[in-house]
Amino acid sequence: MSLNGIVKGTELEGMIKSLMQGEANGVMMYYALAQLAREQGLEDAAESFIEAANEEAVHAGFYAVLGGKYPSDFWGLVRGIQKAETNGEAQIKALADQVRAAGHAEAADQMEVFARQEGGHGVRLQKLLDKYQKNAEVPAGQKVYVCPVCGYEHVGDINAEDDSYVCPICGQPKSVFVLKK
């Protein structure tokens, strides 16, 4: 039995959603604390914060499943994410160039590492798609909407989604998505 969406429509849904968001925020907070600790030479503290961040990420993912945030048939989502991750490499690199031009070379250097990692995520996801979804294509006649911020592609009529729908990568509302031509 799948746990996906088991609290949808129940009195637990709001609490689980709050836990999911709190844990996701915890991931960001603990990784930020690790960065700050490293800047102060506190490597042992940084490692403890990273361990906590990794655990919080697992918690957030679990609560996302309970709340049905992502579809059980997730390969369409993975296809959209793969494109966004691949595009993200150039987007983050361009932003790193702007950060460098503003005089922040150390931050830009780290962002360039992140840019390469984003591209690597795209490669990794493509390998999974090639392995598990070799012949899967967007069904003929299906609409594809693109998030203009991150490039995520939503297959299907985005207007049929609930008004609370947001891009699963960057959180932009469905109102900003544009129909792919």
Side-chain angles (χ1 to χ4, degrees), residues 12-146:
L12 298 172
E13 184 174 16
M15 180 56 73
I16 294 296
K17 185 175 182 179
S18 293
L19 285 171
M20 177 194 70
Q21 192 59 58
E23 298 288 350
N25 290 342
V27 172
M28 180 175 49
M29 176 194 66
Y30 280 121
Y31 279 122
L33 291 173
Q35 174 69 35
L36 294 169
R38 280 203 171 108
E39 289 176 2
Q40 296 176 30
L42 306 173
E43 193 60 36
D44 61 331
E47 290 304 316
S48 290
F49 292 139
I50 287 171
E51 185 177 347
N54 292 340
E55 291 167 351
E56 297 284 62
V58 170
H59 305 164
F62 177 76
Y63 294 133
V65 168
L66 293 184
K69 182 167 177 63
Y70 305 108
S72 291
D73 181 13
F74 55 80
W75 290 110
L77 177 63
V78 172
R79 272 190 294 283
I81 295 168
Q82 186 279 329
K83 290 178 176 124
E85 293 284 16
T86 299
N87 294 336
E89 182 171 7
Q91 291 173 327
I92 299 299
K93 173 66 173 94
L95 184 55
D97 291 343
Q98 292 175 12
V99 169
R100 185 175 309 285
H104 307 291
E106 187 177 345
D109 290 346
Q110 189 64 49
M111 291 175 71
E112 287 173 353
V113 170
F114 296 164
R116 287 189 299 278
Q117 289 172 339
E118 296 296 339
H121 298 163
V123 169
R124 185 178 309 143
L125 292 175
Q126 187 59 58
K127 286 179 182 177
L128 289 171
L129 288 165
D130 291 345
K131 181 176 181 178
Y132 294 107
Q133 297 284 292
K134 226 174 231 186
N135 299 319
E137 295 293 325
V138 174
Q142 279 278 24
K143 293 179 179 179
V144 177
Y145 291 84
V146 180

